[in-house]
Amino acid sequence: MPELTTLLIICPLVFLAGLVDAIAGGGGLISLPAYLLAGLPPHQAIATNKMSSTLGTSASTARYLKNGYVDWQAALPCMAMAILGANGGARLILLIPQQYIQYLLLVSLPVVAVVVLHRKPAGTGAPQTGMPRSRQLVLAALLSLALGVYDGLYGPGTGTFLLLMYTGLCKMSLERASGTVKLVNLSSNAASLLLFLQKGQVLVTLGLISGGFCLLGHFIGSGMMMKNGSRIVRPVIITVLILLFIKVISDMAG
């Protein structure tokens, strides 16, 4: 059973991550730092975060499936490529010594945060013209492979990056792209989670408890009709990242 102090740090932040993810995206920028702030080694933090994020993503994916917002012709090959990429990315992160992952965090977290918090909303409506369907499907699959590797290796912002690339580069409509993104993101999460479980890196009890809080956050956040949600999300993400930076730098100095 996890220590009480660990749960008191992780569970509220993971709940907040689910809430933020449902409102405006970017929940991974809160949930992964939560495990690190609680003192988990980087490999275990990344692996256990996959369990809670997989549970949260399952809930939001179910909503999109219910509403029919999935381009199945694109989703199936993209899911297969994302699974392949995530498995490779997860294997790669386990080969990196844990102390070097701290340097990776210091460099990559601010970059991901800037992209997520300053993304421009995609347009709605019918699929955009100007790209043959066959080319669209191939490009979407290749992008899914690349982002699957990123999700297995690291993870925060994967859903946002997928949505930006599907709508911007592949010219998908926002409605269809959103449902496809959820399925692809869930596939890459699940693939990397399975590998982390096989390698014994997941703290299962902690992951299940925090996953419940993530589900609760998604459930509440999905029912909150908020305009300008990023105005609420931005200070939360920035605060968590500042706390993580202080901890990582303090650990390095120590």
Side-chain angles (χ1 to χ4, degrees):
M1 184 70 183
E3 293 183 1
L4 180 60
T5 53
T6 300
L7 292 174
L8 289 175
I9 294 172
I10 292 176
C11 291
L13 287 175
V14 172
F15 165 78
L16 194 58
L19 190 75
V20 162
D21 213 38
I23 294 172
L29 289 165
I30 299 174
S31 61
L32 178 56
Y35 293 100
L36 295 164
L37 286 170
L40 270 67
H43 285 153
Q44 289 187 349
I46 292 171
T48 308
N49 181 55
K50 283 299 176 190
M51 176 169 280
S52 58
S53 62
T54 297
L55 291 172
T57 305
S58 297
S60 54
T61 301
R63 292 199 310 273
Y64 280 96
L65 288 172
K66 182 180 178 180
N67 293 325
Y69 290 147
V70 177
D71 182 346
W72 284 105
Q73 190 178 20
L76 293 177
C78 287
M79 289 166 65
M81 297 298 277
I83 289 171
L84 180 62
N87 185 273
R91 291 180 183 277
L92 180 59
I93 195 65
L94 292 176
L95 295 175
I96 300 175
Q98 305 221 44
Q99 62 269 29
Y100 294 121
I101 298 178
Q102 292 184 319
Y103 296 107
L104 176 65
L105 291 172
L106 288 176
V107 173
S108 60
L109 275 174
V111 174
V112 175
V114 167
V115 174
V116 170
L117 294 176
H118 292 85
R119 68 190 185 276
K120 295 181 179 179
T124 59
Q128 301 175 46
T129 58
M131 178 177 292
R133 179 61 168 171
S134 59
R135 182 182 173 187
Q136 183 185 67
L137 294 176
V138 170
L139 181 57
L142 291 175
L143 291 171
S144 300
L145 174 64
L147 284 168
V149 173
Y150 169 76
D151 196 27
L153 180 70
Y154 186 49
T158 300
T160 297
F161 295 147
L162 282 168
L163 186 62
L164 289 173
M165 291 185 178
Y166 285 175
T167 56
L169 298 179
C170 301
K171 309 302 182 184
M172 293 183 183
S173 69
L174 178 61
E175 290 85 356
R176 291 292 179 179
S178 296
T180 305
V181 162
K182 290 297 182 183
L183 273 174
V184 173
N185 199 181
L186 178 60
S187 299
S188 61
N189 274 339
S192 52
L193 173 60
L194 285 175
L195 180 67
F196 289 138
L197 284 168
Q198 291 172 5
K199 300 297 183 180
Q201 293 294 330
V202 181
L203 301 180
V204 177
T205 303
L206 176 60
L208 290 174
I209 294 172
S210 58
F213 279 85
C214 186
L215 278 171
L216 181 61
H218 270 270
F219 178 77
I220 295 176
S222 65
M224 298 172 68
M225 301 299 293
M226 288 190 178
K227 295 183 178 180
N228 299 319
S230 60
R231 292 185 180 179
I232 299 171
V233 171
R234 184 176 288 109
V236 174
I237 291 178
I238 291 174
T239 300
V240 172
L241 291 182
I242 289 174
L243 291 174
L244 178 62
F245 266 57
I246 293 172
K247 183 183 185 303
V248 170
I249 293 173
S250 174
D251 289 346
M252 288 179 176

